[in-house]
């Protein structure tokens, strides 16, 4: 007779310092790690943790932890990459929620499958990628996302979400709003191209390729260009704690954009395809407001990229939040623009 899967070991008062890229030292009341869905179901069946929230954690690269957490934190380590379908033009590739995102991207690059190479080197897991529709260098996962599977935490049934069901937007999805706290994403499937379809319009990519005299980049060359740019611009969380972009780039109406463009000489801005709204780089506002390189105790603003708030060692989550509030206020006072936080503050 088959033995029922046992619940995994549950640790108490567990430090999360090495489980979030900001390196914030708070404790989880309870902590565990699961490598299959049955382990989660076993925890639920046991019933010991039904009175406290269950919070899922990938690699902690998009969270800012501000206090000890009275919850069961569950690190998601559902692994595996599987080719589920292919035809002459495309492959449908599915990965477990716990697979490291960049490992997945490099796997597709090695196989010469095109679609997510511009998203090279983004930290985190495959399962967290749909949460905010991760994006970089002119590409978002919604462009190649096919479907995901998620465990409905009320019914304990697996549900399939097609692209349209996820309500993807700029750093947004159903899972950050109506679906928040109701699902454990277990796997994600992407539809990738067998023929290269390079997205090179982003300025920095064109610069790197032209320095290397590459006019028709292969998928691998494009991934390498993105990696080079990211390594030169963004702080490595292993060296300085951070969560990448702390704020979203503000998107404003055409009339508001006209006001900004007329008032501030040389302000960078980008049209949004299919909309009259205009996007402005949040980093520009923060830099112009004088915050780039600012440091207060161990909380600071990165010296090369003003959009990235950093922990130089022992900053608390509260200190990072306070700094972010000061930045928001000064950008609002100077430009009349309200910055929105991208990182999940817990
Ligand atoms: C240096 C750096 C650069 C970055 N650059 C980019 C970038 O270019 N573009 C971009 O979009 N993002 C970027 N990010 C942000 C981050 O990498 C992504 O948001 C990533 O997808 C987070 O993955 P994670 O596994 O670390 O998620 P976590 O931080 O662990 O979790 C994020 C949220 O998702 C939830 N969650 C995680 N896994 C699951 C699951 N399986 N089911 C249900 N809920 C889940 C968590 O509860 C939490 O609310 C960057 C971060 C850093 C540190």
């Amino acid at each position: 007779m088959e033995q029922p899967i046992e619940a995994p070991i549950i640790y108490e008062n567990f430090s999360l310092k090495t489980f979030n890229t900001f390196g914030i030292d708070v404790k989880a009341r309870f902590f565990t790690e699961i490598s299959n869905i049955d382990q989660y179901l076993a925890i639920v069946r046991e019933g010991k943790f039904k009175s406290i929230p269950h919070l899922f954690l990938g690699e902690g690269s998009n969270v800012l932890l501000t206090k000890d957490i009275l919850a069961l934190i569950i690190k998601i380590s559902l692994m595996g990459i599987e080719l589920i379908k292919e035809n002459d033009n495309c492959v449908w590739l599915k990965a477990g929620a716990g697979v490291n995102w960049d490992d997945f991207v490099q796997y597709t690059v090695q196989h010469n499958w095109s679609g997510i190479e511009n998203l090279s080197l983004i930290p985190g897991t495959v399962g967290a990628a749909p949460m905010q529709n991760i994006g970089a260098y002119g590409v978002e996962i919604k462009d190649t996302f096919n479907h995901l599977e998620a465990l409905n935490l009320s019914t304990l049934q697996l549900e399939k979400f097609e692209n349209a069901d996820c309500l993807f937007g700029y750093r947004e999805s159903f899972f950050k709003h109506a679906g928040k706290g109701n699902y454990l994403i277990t796997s994600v499937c992407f539809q990738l191209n067998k023929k290269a379809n390079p997205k090179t319009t982003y300025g920095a990519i064109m610069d790197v390729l032209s320095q290397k005299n590459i006019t028709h980049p292969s998928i691998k060359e494009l991934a390498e260009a993105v990696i080079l740019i990211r390594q030169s611009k963004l702080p490595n969380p292993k060296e300085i704690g951070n969560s990448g972009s702390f704020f979203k780039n503000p998107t404003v109406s055409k009339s508001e954009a006209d006001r900004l463009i007329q008032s501030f000489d040389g302000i960078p801005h980008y049209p949004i395809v299919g909309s009259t709204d205009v996007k402005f780089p949040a980093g520009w506002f923060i830099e112009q407001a004088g915050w780039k390189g600012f440091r207060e105790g161990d909380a600071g603003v990165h010296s090369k990229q003003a959009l990235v708030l950093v922990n130089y060692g022992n900053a608390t989550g509260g200190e990072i939040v306070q700094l972010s509030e000061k930045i928001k206020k000064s950008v609002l006072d100077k430009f009349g623009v309200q910055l929105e936080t991208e990182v999940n503050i817990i």
Side-chain angles (χ1 to χ4, degrees):
M1 202 171 77
E2 242 180 73
Q3 293 294 312
I5 301 270
E6 283 185 21
I9 300 171
I10 309 271
Y11 301 91
E12 287 195 46
N13 298 320
F14 187 89
S15 170
L16 295 173
K17 189 171 166 66
T18 56
F19 289 84
N20 70 101
T21 58
F22 251 123
I24 305 284
D25 194 7
V26 299
K27 288 196 172 66
R29 180 70 187 89
F30 300 103
F31 177 92
T32 194
E33 180 168 5
I34 58 165
S35 51
N36 59 60
I37 306 168
D38 288 337
Q39 287 181 315
Y40 180 68
L41 295 175
I43 295 172
V44 175
R45 213 174 30 241
E46 270 190 10
K48 279 193 209 153
F49 302 99
K50 64 176 179 212
S51 59
I52 56 168
H54 295 181
L55 282 180
F56 304 115
L57 193 64
E59 293 180 7
S61 65
N62 204 19
V63 291
L64 175 59
L65 307 175
T66 57
K67 53 184 177 305
D68 288 344
I69 304 170
L70 183 57
L72 170 62
I73 303 273
I74 300 162
K75 175 156 172 53
I76 304 304
S77 298
L78 311 177
M79 307 313 270
I81 299 178
E82 193 190 345
L83 178 68
I84 56 171
K85 190 166 101 176
E86 74 179 300
N87 63 21
D88 288 349
N89 303 318
C90 293
V91 293
W92 283 257
L93 197 64
K94 175 172 149 174
V99 172
N100 171 271
W101 172 259
D102 189 50
D103 287 351
F104 180 61
V105 174
Q106 299 320 317
Y107 181 91
T108 67
V109 169
Q110 278 158 22
H111 285 80
N112 229 9
W113 294 328
S114 159
I116 52 175
E117 57 277 11
N118 289 38
L119 306 179
S120 288
L121 217 61
I122 297 182
T125 53
V126 167
M131 295 296 292
Q132 70 159 13
N133 177 27
I134 58 169
Y137 302 102
V139 171
E140 294 178 322
I141 64 152
K142 74 166 172 46
D143 307 332
T144 48
F145 174 98
N146 184 259
H147 71 269
L148 64 76
E149 283 177 329
L151 189 75
N152 179 321
L153 303 182
S154 307
T155 62
L156 298 180
Q157 298 297 312
L158 273 181
E159 288 179 17
K160 186 173 178 182
F161 287 78
E162 307 282 352
N163 195 317
D165 302 326
C166 296
L167 306 179
F168 288 128
Y170 166 60
R171 300 296 182 273
E172 289 295 350
S173 77
F174 166 80
F175 299 97
K176 274 181 84 173
H177 296 282
K180 193 174 173 167
N182 298 331
Y183 292 93
L184 160 56
I185 296 171
T186 56
S187 67
V188 187
C189 175
F190 293 86
Q191 181 180 345
L192 303 168
N193 263 304
K194 288 186 174 175
K195 288 190 199 86
N197 178 19
K199 302 267 185 326
T200 55
T201 47
Y202 200 91
I205 293 187
M206 289 204 276
D207 293 346
V208 171
L209 293 175
S210 78
Q211 276 160 22
K212 293 183 168 186
N213 290 322
I214 298 172
T215 43
H216 299 290
S218 66
I219 295 166
K220 185 162 175 275
E221 285 167 336
L222 196 46
E224 282 168 356
V226 168
I227 289 170
L228 202 70
I229 298 163
R230 293 187 73 97
Q231 283 172 338
S232 71
K233 269 205 199 157
L234 290 166
N236 180 348
K238 289 190 181 123
E239 288 156 18
I240 308 175
N242 75 89
S243 260
S245 306
F246 197 90
F247 304 100
K248 290 182 181 181
N249 290 320
T251 298
V252 304
S253 65
K254 166 126 185 18
S255 61
E256 177 61 1
D258 289 344
R259 177 190 71 80
L260 286 165
I261 292 161
Q262 275 156 25
S263 310
F264 303 100
D265 241 8
I267 186 169
H269 55 282
Y270 309 96
I272 296 175
V273 181
S275 164
T276 54
D277 288 354
V278 181
K279 193 184 276 184
F280 291 81
W284 185 87
F285 292 115
I286 300 167
E287 188 173 341
Q288 295 295 311
W291 290 100
K292 196 173 182 180
F294 176 87
R295 178 170 177 173
E296 193 171 52
D298 271 356
V301 180
H302 192 245
S303 55
K304 285 194 196 157
Q305 173 52 274
L307 195 49
V308 179
L309 302 196
V310 293
N311 172 13
Y312 284 104
N314 293 311
T316 63
E319 285 164 349
I320 306 270
V321 171
Q322 272 171 23
L323 174 58
S324 76
E325 290 303 324
K326 286 185 200 163
I327 293 171
K328 276 185 181 173
K329 181 168 182 324
S330 82
V331 168
L332 185 62
D333 291 348
K334 193 168 163 76
F335 300 101
V337 170
Q338 182 71 58
L339 291 182
E340 221 183 295
T341 304
E342 177 179 317
V343 173
N344 299 285
I345 297 177
I346 298 177

